[in-house]
Amino acid sequence: MKIGIVCYPTFGGSGVLATELGKALAQKGHMVHFITYQQPVRLNGFIPNIFYHEVQVPTYPLFDYPPYETALASTMVDVIKNNNLDLLHVHYAIPHASAAYMAKQILKKEGKSIPVITTLHGTDITLVGRDKTYAPVVTFSINESDAITAVSQNLRDETFKHFDIKKEIEVIVNFVDVSRFSRKPIDAFKKVIAPNGERVLMHASNFRKIKRVQDVVKIFATVLKQMPAKLLFVGDGPERSTAEDLARELGVCDEIRFVGKQEQMEDILAIADLFLLTSEYESFGLAALEAMAAGVPVVSTNAGGLGEINIQGKTGYMANVGDIETMSNQAMSILKDDATLKTFKENAAEHAKIFDIANIVPLYEKLYEKFL
Ligand code: GMT
Protein backbone atom coordinates (compact mmCIF):
# COMPACT_ATOMS: atom_id res chain seq x y z
CA MET A 1 0.00 0.00 0.00
CA LYS A 2 1.04 3.61 -0.47
CA ILE A 3 0.19 5.39 2.75
CA GLY A 4 0.43 9.06 3.67
CA ILE A 5 1.00 9.80 7.37
CA VAL A 6 0.40 13.24 8.82
CA CYS A 7 1.46 13.98 12.40
CA TYR A 8 3.18 16.41 14.71
CA PRO A 9 6.91 15.83 14.29
CA THR A 10 7.78 16.83 17.87
CA PHE A 11 8.43 14.74 20.99
CA GLY A 12 4.71 14.31 21.85
CA GLY A 13 3.20 10.84 22.06
CA SER A 14 1.04 11.20 18.96
CA GLY A 15 4.04 12.02 16.77
CA VAL A 16 6.07 9.21 18.29
CA LEU A 17 3.28 6.71 17.72
CA ALA A 18 2.66 7.87 14.14
CA THR A 19 6.36 7.69 13.32
CA GLU A 20 6.78 4.23 14.83
CA LEU A 21 3.70 3.09 12.92
CA GLY A 22 5.10 4.44 9.65
CA LYS A 23 8.45 2.75 10.25
CA ALA A 24 6.77 -0.56 11.05
CA LEU A 25 4.57 -0.35 7.94
CA ALA A 26 7.60 0.43 5.78
CA GLN A 27 9.41 -2.57 7.21
CA LYS A 28 6.45 -4.70 6.16
CA GLY A 29 6.86 -3.49 2.58
CA HIS A 30 4.40 -0.60 2.41
CA MET A 31 5.45 2.74 0.92
CA VAL A 32 5.07 5.37 3.62
CA HIS A 33 5.03 9.11 2.95
CA PHE A 34 5.33 11.39 5.97
CA ILE A 35 3.86 14.86 5.50
CA THR A 36 4.94 17.17 8.33
CA TYR A 37 6.48 20.60 8.87
CA GLN A 38 9.69 19.11 10.25
CA GLN A 39 11.47 15.76 10.23
CA PRO A 40 9.72 13.67 12.95
CA VAL A 41 12.05 13.09 15.92
CA ARG A 42 11.96 9.32 15.71
CA LEU A 43 12.40 9.28 11.94
CA ASN A 44 16.14 8.92 12.01
CA GLY A 45 18.35 6.91 9.68
CA PHE A 46 17.60 5.80 6.14
CA ILE A 47 14.67 3.47 5.60
CA PRO A 48 14.18 2.56 1.91
CA ASN A 49 10.36 2.64 1.84
CA ILE A 50 10.00 5.90 3.73
CA PHE A 51 9.58 9.27 2.08
CA TYR A 52 9.46 12.60 3.80
CA HIS A 53 7.65 15.68 2.50
CA GLU A 54 8.13 18.91 4.35
CA VAL A 55 5.24 21.35 4.55
CA GLN A 56 6.59 24.78 3.69
CA VAL A 57 4.68 27.71 5.12
CA PRO A 58 5.70 30.86 3.25
CA THR A 59 5.45 34.03 5.27
CA TYR A 60 4.09 37.30 3.98
CA PRO A 61 3.99 40.68 5.77
CA LEU A 62 0.19 40.57 5.71
CA PHE A 63 0.09 37.38 7.76
CA ASP A 64 0.09 37.72 11.51
CA TYR A 65 -0.71 34.01 11.46
CA PRO A 66 0.80 32.12 8.50
CA PRO A 67 -1.93 29.78 7.15
CA TYR A 68 -0.35 26.43 8.05
CA GLU A 69 -3.52 24.42 7.47
CA THR A 70 -3.80 25.70 3.91
CA ALA A 71 -0.17 24.87 3.22
CA LEU A 72 -0.68 21.42 4.74
CA ALA A 73 -3.78 20.70 2.64
CA SER A 74 -1.98 21.83 -0.53
CA THR A 75 1.03 19.63 0.29
CA MET A 76 -1.30 16.71 0.93
CA VAL A 77 -2.88 17.19 -2.53
CA ASP A 78 0.52 17.39 -4.15
CA VAL A 79 1.94 14.31 -2.41
CA ILE A 80 -1.20 12.21 -2.89
CA LYS A 81 -1.36 13.03 -6.62
CA ASN A 82 2.30 12.71 -7.45
CA ASN A 83 2.81 9.50 -5.52
CA ASN A 84 -0.59 8.02 -6.21
CA LEU A 85 -1.24 7.33 -2.53
CA ASP A 86 -3.92 4.81 -1.54
CA LEU A 87 -4.90 6.46 1.70
CA LEU A 88 -4.11 9.19 4.17
CA HIS A 89 -3.76 8.50 7.88
CA VAL A 90 -3.79 11.63 10.03
CA HIS A 91 -2.78 11.62 13.68
CA TYR A 92 -4.22 14.24 16.06
CA ALA A 93 -7.38 15.88 14.82
CA ILE A 94 -6.26 19.51 14.88
CA PRO A 95 -5.62 20.70 12.21
CA HIS A 96 -4.82 17.45 10.42
CA ALA A 97 -8.37 16.12 10.03
CA SER A 98 -9.73 19.36 8.58
CA ALA A 99 -6.74 19.81 6.26
CA ALA A 100 -7.29 16.22 5.08
CA TYR A 101 -10.96 16.98 4.43
CA MET A 102 -9.96 19.95 2.28
CA ALA A 103 -7.39 17.86 0.37
CA LYS A 104 -9.96 15.11 -0.17
CA GLN A 105 -12.47 17.57 -1.64
CA ILE A 106 -9.89 19.08 -3.98
CA LEU A 107 -8.86 15.64 -5.22
CA LYS A 108 -12.48 14.56 -5.62
CA LYS A 109 -13.00 17.40 -8.10
CA GLU A 110 -10.07 15.99 -10.04
CA GLY A 111 -11.52 12.48 -10.03
CA LYS A 112 -9.28 10.96 -7.36
CA SER A 113 -10.78 9.47 -4.25
CA ILE A 114 -8.57 9.27 -1.17
CA PRO A 115 -9.78 7.60 2.02
CA VAL A 116 -8.90 9.51 5.19
CA ILE A 117 -8.35 7.80 8.53
CA THR A 118 -8.18 10.00 11.62
CA THR A 119 -6.56 8.75 14.80
CA LEU A 120 -7.52 10.67 17.92
CA HIS A 121 -4.77 10.87 20.50
CA GLY A 122 -5.91 12.80 23.53
CA THR A 123 -5.70 16.53 23.97
CA ASP A 124 -7.09 16.99 20.44
CA ILE A 125 -10.34 15.79 22.05
CA THR A 126 -10.15 16.34 25.77
CA LEU A 127 -8.51 19.76 25.92
CA VAL A 128 -7.81 21.73 22.75
CA GLY A 129 -10.53 20.23 20.56
CA ARG A 130 -13.24 20.94 23.11
CA ASP A 131 -12.44 24.62 23.12
CA LYS A 132 -15.33 26.32 21.34
CA THR A 133 -12.87 28.06 19.04
CA TYR A 134 -12.12 24.69 17.44
CA ALA A 135 -15.00 22.37 18.31
CA PRO A 136 -17.26 22.85 15.22
CA VAL A 137 -14.40 22.24 12.80
CA VAL A 138 -13.09 19.30 14.82
CA THR A 139 -16.54 17.69 15.01
CA PHE A 140 -17.16 18.20 11.30
CA SER A 141 -13.80 16.90 10.13
CA ILE A 142 -13.86 13.87 12.42
CA ASN A 143 -17.30 12.98 11.08
CA GLU A 144 -16.08 13.42 7.51
CA SER A 145 -13.19 10.98 8.01
CA ASP A 146 -13.69 7.60 6.38
CA ALA A 147 -12.61 5.88 9.58
CA ILE A 148 -11.91 7.11 13.09
CA THR A 149 -9.71 5.40 15.62
CA ALA A 150 -8.94 6.24 19.24
CA VAL A 151 -5.90 5.08 21.20
CA SER A 152 -7.90 3.88 24.22
CA GLN A 153 -11.41 2.95 25.25
CA ASN A 154 -11.43 5.97 27.53
CA LEU A 155 -10.64 8.34 24.67
CA ARG A 156 -13.35 6.76 22.54
CA ASP A 157 -15.87 7.33 25.35
CA GLU A 158 -14.67 10.90 25.93
CA THR A 159 -15.03 11.65 22.22
CA PHE A 160 -18.63 10.46 22.14
CA LYS A 161 -19.33 12.35 25.36
CA HIS A 162 -18.05 15.70 24.17
CA PHE A 163 -18.64 15.69 20.40
CA ASP A 164 -21.60 14.85 18.24
CA ILE A 165 -19.95 11.97 16.41
CA LYS A 166 -22.12 10.07 13.98
CA LYS A 167 -19.72 7.27 13.15
CA GLU A 168 -18.20 4.35 14.99
CA ILE A 169 -14.83 4.93 16.59
CA GLU A 170 -12.56 1.92 16.56
CA VAL A 171 -10.18 1.53 19.48
CA ILE A 172 -6.68 0.61 18.35
CA VAL A 173 -4.48 0.91 21.38
CA ASN A 174 -0.99 2.35 21.28
CA PHE A 175 1.93 0.00 20.91
CA VAL A 176 5.58 -0.40 21.78
CA ASP A 177 8.42 -2.32 20.21
CA VAL A 178 9.12 -4.57 23.17
CA SER A 179 12.37 -5.92 21.70
CA ARG A 180 13.76 -2.40 21.40
CA PHE A 181 13.06 -1.58 25.05
CA SER A 182 14.36 -4.84 26.53
CA ARG A 183 17.82 -3.41 27.11
CA LYS A 184 20.48 -4.19 29.69
CA PRO A 185 21.51 -1.08 31.65
CA ILE A 186 24.69 0.64 30.54
CA ASP A 187 26.80 0.32 33.70
CA ALA A 188 28.78 3.50 33.15
CA PHE A 189 25.59 5.52 32.72
CA LYS A 190 24.00 3.98 35.81
CA LYS A 191 27.14 4.83 37.82
CA VAL A 192 26.97 8.46 36.77
CA ILE A 193 23.30 8.78 37.69
CA ALA A 194 23.23 6.62 40.82
CA PRO A 195 26.86 6.19 41.96
CA ASN A 196 25.93 4.53 45.24
CA GLY A 197 23.25 2.22 43.92
CA GLU A 198 20.41 4.61 44.75
CA ARG A 199 16.94 3.81 43.40
CA VAL A 200 16.33 5.69 40.15
CA LEU A 201 12.91 7.29 39.67
CA MET A 202 12.01 8.81 36.35
CA HIS A 203 9.46 11.02 34.65
CA ALA A 204 9.27 11.79 30.93
CA SER A 205 6.87 14.22 29.31
CA ASN A 206 6.49 17.54 27.55
CA PHE A 207 6.17 19.28 30.94
CA ARG A 208 2.79 20.76 30.20
CA LYS A 209 0.44 21.74 33.04
CA ILE A 210 -1.64 18.62 32.47
CA LYS A 211 1.36 16.47 33.55
CA ARG A 212 1.48 17.99 37.07
CA VAL A 213 5.27 17.67 37.23
CA GLN A 214 5.32 19.39 40.64
CA ASP A 215 3.60 16.27 41.99
CA VAL A 216 6.53 14.22 40.70
CA VAL A 217 8.91 16.41 42.70
CA LYS A 218 6.73 16.13 45.82
CA ILE A 219 6.52 12.33 45.57
CA PHE A 220 10.26 12.12 45.04
CA ALA A 221 10.95 14.36 48.06
CA THR A 222 8.83 12.04 50.24
CA VAL A 223 10.57 8.91 48.94
CA LEU A 224 13.95 10.52 49.51
CA LYS A 225 13.18 10.84 53.21
CA GLN A 226 12.91 7.04 53.37
CA MET A 227 15.62 5.79 51.02
CA PRO A 228 18.54 7.00 48.89
CA ALA A 229 17.17 7.86 45.47
CA LYS A 230 17.69 9.91 42.34
CA LEU A 231 15.16 11.42 39.98
CA LEU A 232 15.61 11.76 36.23
CA PHE A 233 13.44 14.25 34.41
CA VAL A 234 13.36 13.56 30.66
CA GLY A 235 11.86 16.07 28.24
CA ASP A 236 11.23 19.75 28.48
CA GLY A 237 8.40 22.24 28.40
CA PRO A 238 6.66 25.13 30.10
CA GLU A 239 6.49 23.66 33.62
CA ARG A 240 10.13 22.67 33.86
CA SER A 241 11.23 25.79 35.73
CA THR A 242 8.35 25.43 38.21
CA ALA A 243 9.51 21.88 38.91
CA GLU A 244 13.06 23.09 39.36
CA ASP A 245 11.97 25.87 41.74
CA LEU A 246 9.98 23.43 43.82
CA ALA A 247 12.91 20.99 43.95
CA ARG A 248 15.10 23.81 45.30
CA GLU A 249 12.46 24.81 47.80
CA LEU A 250 12.16 21.22 49.05
CA GLY A 251 15.95 20.84 49.18
CA VAL A 252 16.04 17.89 46.75
CA CYS A 253 17.58 19.63 43.74
CA ASP A 254 20.95 17.90 44.06
CA GLU A 255 19.31 14.51 43.68
CA ILE A 256 17.47 15.46 40.47
CA ARG A 257 18.78 15.60 36.94
CA PHE A 258 17.02 17.26 34.06
CA VAL A 259 18.36 15.46 31.01
CA GLY A 260 16.23 17.30 28.43
CA LYS A 261 14.67 15.88 25.29
CA GLN A 262 16.13 12.47 24.52
CA GLU A 263 15.73 10.11 21.60
CA GLN A 264 17.36 7.04 23.15
CA MET A 265 14.62 6.43 25.70
CA GLU A 266 15.49 2.73 25.86
CA ASP A 267 18.95 3.46 27.29
CA ILE A 268 17.58 5.82 29.92
CA LEU A 269 14.71 3.56 30.91
CA ALA A 270 17.14 0.66 31.26
CA ILE A 271 18.63 2.26 34.38
CA ALA A 272 15.29 3.31 35.94
CA ASP A 273 13.53 1.54 38.82
CA LEU A 274 10.24 3.40 38.81
CA PHE A 275 8.33 5.61 36.38
CA LEU A 276 6.10 8.37 37.75
CA LEU A 277 3.19 9.73 35.71
CA THR A 278 1.10 12.18 37.72
CA SER A 279 -1.06 13.57 34.89
CA GLU A 280 -4.43 15.14 35.31
CA TYR A 281 -5.42 13.29 32.15
CA GLU A 282 -3.78 10.77 29.81
CA SER A 283 -5.77 9.19 27.03
CA PHE A 284 -3.30 6.32 27.11
CA GLY A 285 0.14 7.19 28.51
CA LEU A 286 2.56 5.95 25.87
CA ALA A 287 5.53 7.05 28.01
CA ALA A 288 4.32 4.72 30.78
CA LEU A 289 3.95 1.85 28.33
CA GLU A 290 7.50 2.37 27.06
CA ALA A 291 8.66 2.30 30.68
CA MET A 292 6.83 -0.96 31.31
CA ALA A 293 8.32 -2.49 28.16
CA ALA A 294 11.73 -1.65 29.63
CA GLY A 295 10.73 -3.48 32.82
CA VAL A 296 10.06 -0.32 34.81
CA PRO A 297 6.98 -0.36 37.07
CA VAL A 298 4.70 2.67 37.02
CA VAL A 299 3.11 4.75 39.75
CA SER A 300 0.53 6.91 38.06
CA THR A 301 -2.75 8.65 38.53
CA ASN A 302 -5.88 6.75 37.58
CA ALA A 303 -6.88 9.45 35.08
CA GLY A 304 -8.21 8.75 31.58
CA GLY A 305 -6.96 5.55 30.02
CA LEU A 306 -4.07 4.89 32.41
CA GLY A 307 -6.04 2.08 34.04
CA GLU A 308 -6.08 0.33 30.66
CA ILE A 309 -2.31 -0.19 30.83
CA ASN A 310 -1.20 0.07 34.46
CA ILE A 311 -2.52 -2.83 36.53
CA GLN A 312 -3.01 -1.98 40.18
CA GLY A 313 -0.66 -3.97 42.43
CA LYS A 314 0.88 -5.79 39.48
CA THR A 315 2.66 -3.49 37.02
CA GLY A 316 2.60 -0.64 39.53
CA TYR A 317 -0.06 1.36 41.30
CA MET A 318 -2.53 4.16 40.63
CA ALA A 319 -4.07 6.84 42.81
CA ASN A 320 -6.35 9.84 42.41
CA VAL A 321 -4.95 12.94 40.73
CA GLY A 322 -3.00 14.99 43.27
CA ASP A 323 -2.95 12.31 45.97
CA ILE A 324 0.75 12.72 46.73
CA GLU A 325 0.66 10.77 49.97
CA THR A 326 -0.80 7.62 48.38
CA MET A 327 1.48 7.78 45.37
CA SER A 328 4.53 8.27 47.62
CA ASN A 329 3.54 5.25 49.72
CA GLN A 330 2.94 3.23 46.58
CA ALA A 331 6.36 4.19 45.22
CA MET A 332 8.04 3.19 48.48
CA SER A 333 6.20 -0.10 48.65
CA ILE A 334 7.58 -1.02 45.21
CA LEU A 335 11.09 0.21 45.94
CA LYS A 336 11.39 -1.02 49.54
CA ASP A 337 13.32 -4.23 48.78
CA ASP A 338 14.98 -5.87 45.80
CA ALA A 339 12.66 -8.87 45.70
CA THR A 340 9.49 -6.75 45.50
CA LEU A 341 11.03 -4.45 42.92
CA LYS A 342 12.09 -7.43 40.82
CA THR A 343 8.54 -8.84 40.82
CA PHE A 344 7.04 -5.52 39.75
CA LYS A 345 9.70 -5.13 37.05
CA GLU A 346 8.96 -8.58 35.65
CA ASN A 347 5.21 -8.00 35.76
CA ALA A 348 5.56 -4.67 33.96
CA ALA A 349 7.70 -6.17 31.19
CA GLU A 350 5.34 -9.13 30.83
CA HIS A 351 2.20 -6.98 30.64
CA ALA A 352 3.74 -4.65 28.05
CA LYS A 353 3.96 -7.59 25.64
CA ILE A 354 0.20 -7.36 25.09
CA PHE A 355 0.87 -3.99 23.45
CA ASP A 356 3.76 -5.20 21.33
CA ILE A 357 4.06 -3.64 17.90
CA ALA A 358 3.62 -7.06 16.29
CA ASN A 359 0.12 -7.35 17.76
CA ILE A 360 -1.13 -3.85 16.99
CA VAL A 361 0.23 -2.81 13.57
CA PRO A 362 -1.78 -5.55 11.78
CA LEU A 363 -4.95 -3.95 13.19
CA TYR A 364 -4.14 -0.75 11.30
CA GLU A 365 -3.36 -2.75 8.15
CA LYS A 366 -6.69 -4.53 8.45
CA LEU A 367 -8.45 -1.19 8.76
CA TYR A 368 -6.60 0.21 5.72
CA GLU A 369 -7.54 -2.83 3.66
CA LYS A 370 -11.23 -2.06 4.12
CA PHE A 371 -10.74 1.03 1.96
CA LEU A 372 -8.77 -0.44 -0.89
O1 GMT B 1 0.70 14.02 26.30
C1 GMT B 1 0.87 14.95 25.53
O2 GMT B 1 0.79 16.11 25.89
C2 GMT B 1 1.21 14.68 24.09
C3 GMT B 1 0.06 14.06 23.39
C4 GMT B 1 0.28 14.08 21.91
O3 GMT B 1 -0.72 14.10 21.25
O4 GMT B 1 1.36 14.06 21.39
O5 GMT B 1 -0.11 12.72 23.87
C5 GMT B 1 -1.36 12.11 23.71
O6 GMT B 1 -1.17 11.06 22.77
C6 GMT B 1 -0.33 9.99 23.23
C7 GMT B 1 -0.18 8.98 22.09
O7 GMT B 1 -1.40 8.46 21.71
C8 GMT B 1 -0.95 9.35 24.49
O8 GMT B 1 -0.15 8.30 24.93
C9 GMT B 1 -1.04 10.43 25.57
O9 GMT B 1 -1.67 9.87 26.71
C10 GMT B 1 -1.87 11.60 25.06
N1 GMT B 1 -1.81 12.70 26.03
C11 GMT B 1 -2.88 13.09 26.71
O10 GMT B 1 -3.97 12.58 26.62
C12 GMT B 1 -2.64 14.20 27.67
Side-chain angles (χ1 to χ4, degrees):
M1 276 181 254
K2 292 182 194 157
I3 303 154
I5 291 188
V6 182
C7 64
Y8 280 101
T10 48
F11 276 86
S14 60
V16 166
L17 196 279
T19 309
E20 297 296 354
L21 173 62
K23 281 157 59 175
L25 291 166
Q27 255 152 25
K28 295 182 98 176
H30 301 289
M31 297 291 176
V32 179
H33 293 256
F34 281 92
I35 306 169
T36 63
Y37 60 79
Q38 206 174 274
Q39 178 99 359
V41 281
R42 290 226 184 150
L43 195 61
N44 38 25
F46 175 72
I47 304 169
N49 293 356
I50 288 193
F51 303 84
Y52 167 62
H53 309 270
E54 191 158 301
V55 181
Q56 305 283 344
V57 192
T59 53
Y60 185 68
L62 186 68
F63 299 154
D64 277 341
Y65 305 100
Y68 172 66
E69 195 174 332
T70 307
L72 176 60
S74 295
T75 312
M76 285 173 177
V77 170
D78 186 64
V79 174
I80 292 164
K81 266 200 319 203
N82 290 321
N83 298 281
N84 202 18
L85 298 192
D86 296 314
L87 63 87
L88 192 61
H89 188 173
V90 304
H91 292 258
Y92 206 93
I94 309 167
H96 302 152
S98 44
Y101 170 76
M102 175 66 95
K104 190 181 165 90
Q105 295 313 308
I106 295 169
L107 289 163
K108 199 169 156 191
K109 284 263 180 235
E110 297 179 15
K112 164 122 183 122
S113 147
I114 181 90
V116 172
I117 293 169
T118 299
T119 291
L120 309 172
H121 278 273
T123 47
D124 46 350
I125 294 303
T126 56
L127 198 71
V128 197
R130 276 172 66 188
D131 190 306
K132 75 176 181 3
T133 340
Y134 299 117
V137 175
V138 172
T139 311
F140 174 80
S141 50
I142 292 177
N143 275 319
E144 287 295 322
S145 304
D146 294 282
I148 314 159
T149 75
V151 298
S152 67
Q153 187 62 40
N154 172 272
L155 185 60
R156 176 188 176 277
D157 298 346
E158 288 292 315
T159 310
F160 279 123
K161 196 155 94 195
H162 298 292
F163 295 86
D164 185 15
I165 301 298
K166 310 280 188 209
K167 284 196 171 134
E168 192 37 67
I169 301 177
E170 184 176 345
V171 176
I172 301 185
V173 291
N174 282 337
F175 59 81
V176 63
D177 182 351
V178 168
S179 66
R180 175 182 154 193
F181 283 87
S182 319
R183 284 280 179 99
K184 288 225 148 41
I186 301 170
D187 284 341
F189 179 38
K190 176 128 196 171
K191 279 218 169 77
V192 170
I193 300 298
N196 303 307
E198 296 92 340
R199 297 289 197 218
V200 178
L201 288 78
M202 184 180 153
H203 169 83
S205 76
N206 52 18
F207 286 66
R208 306 225 172 259
K209 260 208 155 47
I210 201 166
K211 306 289 172 181
R212 296 181 64 103
V213 284
Q214 295 91 325
D215 290 1
V216 175
V217 177
K218 289 180 196 163
I219 294 167
F220 177 67
T222 314
V223 171
L224 199 54
K225 286 185 191 142
Q226 304 294 320
M227 62 183 76
K230 299 283 179 184
L231 173 62
L232 280 183
F233 266 123
V234 184
D236 215 331
E239 294 295 303
R240 184 216 151 124
S241 63
T242 326
E244 234 175 319
D245 290 347
L246 180 63
R248 252 181 237 115
E249 204 180 293
L250 298 177
V252 296
C253 213
D254 290 347
E255 314 307 326
I256 300 180
R257 256 185 199 234
F258 290 84
V259 296
K261 294 177 182 172
Q262 296 288 333
E263 282 175 37
Q264 293 305 109
M265 283 303 284
E266 56 273 36
D267 290 334
I268 304 174
L269 284 164
I271 67 153
D273 296 307
L274 185 69
F275 191 83
L276 296 173
L277 194 58
T278 50
S279 310
E280 206 168 302
Y281 180 80
E282 285 296 336
S283 65
F284 182 90
L286 185 59
L289 177 63
E290 291 190 338
M292 283 162 55
V296 182
V298 173
V299 167
S300 71
T301 57
N302 50 17
L306 283 168
E308 294 175 45
I309 57 166
N310 191 12
I311 310 300
Q312 188 80 335
K314 192 176 168 218
T315 62
Y317 288 105
M318 292 181 297
N320 291 335
V321 175
D323 188 349
I324 309 295
E325 193 187 333
T326 304
M327 284 188 273
S328 306
N329 289 335
Q330 291 171 337
M332 288 183 293
S333 78
I334 293 174
L335 298 170
K336 65 178 185 234
D337 61 67
D338 290 348
T340 310
L341 179 58
K342 187 167 175 278
T343 306
F344 273 94
K345 283 188 168 196
E346 286 167 359
N347 290 348
E350 192 54 38
H351 189 62
K353 287 181 188 163
I354 296 172
F355 302 89
D356 187 43
I357 192 164
N359 300 329
I360 311 299
V361 171
L363 303 179
Y364 280 114
E365 285 177 293
K366 208 167 143 206
L367 176 65
Y368 295 165
E369 275 155 18
K370 282 190 199 164
F371 296 97
L372 298 182

